[in-house]
Amino acid sequence: MAAGVIRSLSQGLRRIAPFGSRLYSDEARTVTLIPGDGIGPEISAAVQEIFAAASAPIKWETSDVTAIKGPGGKYIIPPEAQESMNRNKIGLKGPLKTPVGKGHPSMNLLLRKTFQLYANVRPCKSIEGYKTPYTDVDLVTIRENTEGEYSGIEHMIVDGVVQSIKLITEPASRKVAEFAFDFARAQGRDTVTAVHKANIMRMSDGLFLRCCREVAEEYKDIKFEEMYLDTVCLNMVQDPTQFDVLVMPNLYGDILSDLCAGLIGGLGVTPSGNIGADGVAIFESVHGTAPDIAGKDLANPTALLLSAVMMLRHLGLHDHARRIETAAFETIKEGKALTGDLGGKAKCSDFTREVSQKVQEIE
């Protein structure tokens, strides 16, 4: 299944998240748009405006995924949203909030479980003209997305003692490992590193590591390495260029992918995609909802825009992806229309307008 998702790559190697060509024609594709909360609607509107300027053949079907209680009292994604995703297969999602301590499930976790989004792909590549302490970062984190500590299995043993279950299964571990190696091969990348703590969690991480080792035997053209999570973090901040593709269980991926985002400027410039079963994929911005600036035209739409570029490549729309990505990077490099989080004073609408103008000038 993993190979089928990212096979037939023909363009965009080693650019930001060039997913596999799905060989769609230029006929308009309908995408489920989940604007999200806080600044979500603003940055979603910015992406729609830029796509319109680029004449990208995308039709948007807006959907609300606010959880509701289904039969038995369990929270579920609204049926209308499920039907939209099942019908369109492809989604673009803004940031979602989850009420803390009120019995509500994580909305992102609920989406992953509902649509079996088993692999999160987060590329981190330095952006020319945007200064950070690192200038040549070019790596991809691939995170198992459905189990581990985020399985949501918790219970109280006695008052004051809570147990959380870390679930690791062979099918899920093998699936994400195969995806990582297929991805590396398709992108012309050289090395896959399995990140783990099997020295401590010998059974759970040991199983994940064993699956990675076994899958590696089937990909002799890809170098395989294995490394403890803490060692990866140490080496990453010392020299991120030593890493290429990293694959890991859920919690480690959550932490490490954010660390890697910090190397290139933060979550505001980092795209993300989630690959699921039955051809479903949801691309998303992974930053927060920023309620303090919501509705003030101050949000930075770059992360969602670059995630949408990932989506276009996944759909095989490489030319539109190239033009939009180039326009965004040129805008950032020039530095005249940067939002506050990027060190500028421009508004979201200013950045959007500048990218829209540039994308129309690019052939």
Side-chain angles (χ1 to χ4, degrees):
M1 181 182 295
V5 175
I6 58 179
R7 190 184 296 122
S8 304
L9 280 166
S10 59
Q11 299 183 42
L13 293 182
R14 300 188 73 84
R15 295 169 68 85
I16 283 196
F19 271 77
S21 170
R22 295 179 63 86
L23 305 180
Y24 291 118
S25 69
D26 281 347
E27 182 180 348
R29 281 278 302 177
T30 302
V31 170
T32 298
L33 177 64
I34 304 170
D37 304 307
I39 61 173
E42 296 170 67
I43 60 177
S44 296
V47 169
Q48 290 177 286
E49 182 176 332
I50 293 168
F51 269 47
S55 298
I58 298 295
K59 294 181 180 179
W60 304 100
E61 186 174 287
T62 303
S63 186
D64 178 19
V65 297
T66 302
I68 62 174
K69 282 191 176 182
K74 289 187 176 182
Y75 282 96
I76 61 171
I77 300 297
E80 296 81 5
Q82 291 191 45
E83 292 169 5
S84 177
M85 277 302 308
N86 289 334
R87 180 171 57 252
N88 300 326
K89 301 296 185 183
I90 305 297
L92 182 68
K93 180 182 77 65
L96 296 172
K97 67 179 179 181
T98 298
V100 178
K102 296 182 179 180
H104 291 268
S106 162
M107 290 304 306
N108 290 316
L109 180 59
L110 192 55
L111 280 170
R112 292 170 199 151
K113 288 186 174 182
T114 300
F115 299 110
Q116 301 179 55
L117 302 173
Y118 66 90
N120 173 258
V121 183
R122 187 97 66 91
C124 289
K125 183 176 175 64
S126 297
I127 298 175
E128 185 180 358
Y130 184 56
K131 188 176 181 180
T132 72
Y134 304 89
T135 59
D136 49 4
V137 179
D138 184 8
L139 58 88
V140 180
T141 60
I142 297 179
R143 161 189 174 188
E144 200 294 314
N145 222 11
T146 63
E147 51 183 36
E149 291 87 348
Y150 290 1
S151 300
I153 307 172
E154 293 184 317
H155 60 270
M156 182 177 293
I157 300 177
V158 296
D159 188 32
V161 180
V162 174
Q163 185 178 57
S164 179
I165 305 297
K166 174 175 179 174
L167 180 68
I168 297 289
T169 67
E170 182 171 345
S173 299
R174 183 172 294 276
K175 182 185 289 187
V176 76
E178 289 174 346
F179 182 90
F181 278 93
D182 281 332
F183 184 92
R185 178 180 284 172
Q187 308 309 314
R189 291 182 175 268
D190 303 319
T191 306
V192 171
T193 302
V195 183
H196 67 96
K197 285 296 291 182
N199 58 324
I200 304 298
M201 286 164 279
R202 299 182 183 275
M203 295 185 68
S204 55
D205 280 24
L207 174 59
F208 178 84
L209 183 58
R210 175 171 65 80
C211 290
C212 290
R213 288 172 176 171
E214 292 173 355
V215 170
E217 290 296 315
E218 303 169 13
Y219 295 81
K220 295 297 187 180
D221 54 319
I222 305 294
K223 182 180 179 182
F224 174 64
E225 297 179 343
E226 49 192 67
M227 193 175 295
Y228 297 142
L229 172 65
D230 43 343
T231 304
V232 171
C233 291
L234 173 63
N235 291 348
M236 185 70 72
V237 298
Q238 290 178 326
D239 179 19
T241 63
Q242 64 187 284
F243 295 105
D244 197 358
V245 175
L246 302 99
V247 60
M248 65 213 79
N250 207 337
L251 176 63
Y252 306 158
D254 191 10
I255 297 169
L256 190 58
S257 59
D258 276 13
L259 185 155
C260 293
L263 304 178
I264 64 169
L267 296 176
V269 293
T270 304
S272 179
N274 301 279
I275 301 301
D278 302 321
V280 173
I282 296 180
F283 300 85
E284 62 179 347
S285 57
V286 291
H287 54 67
T289 59
D292 55 319
I293 62 170
K296 298 180 180 180
D297 196 21
L298 299 175
N300 174 15
T302 302
L304 189 63
L305 180 62
L306 295 180
S307 299
V309 167
M310 289 176 66
M311 179 190 75
L312 288 176
R313 289 201 173 103
H314 183 70
L315 292 170
L317 299 170
H318 296 285
D319 185 60
H320 293 89
R322 174 189 59 82
R323 291 171 55 224
I324 294 172
E325 182 182 67
T326 300
F329 285 165
E330 286 184 358
T331 299
I332 293 173
K333 184 178 180 180
E334 288 181 0
K336 297 178 181 179
L338 299 182
T339 52
D341 61 314
L342 297 180
K345 296 182 179 179
K347 296 182 177 181
C348 177
S349 56
D350 298 327
F351 179 87
T352 303
R353 190 178 307 110
E354 186 69 19
V355 176
S356 296
Q357 290 175 353
K358 289 185 182 305
V359 80
Q360 293 176 319
E361 300 168 358
I362 297 172
E363 296 183 358

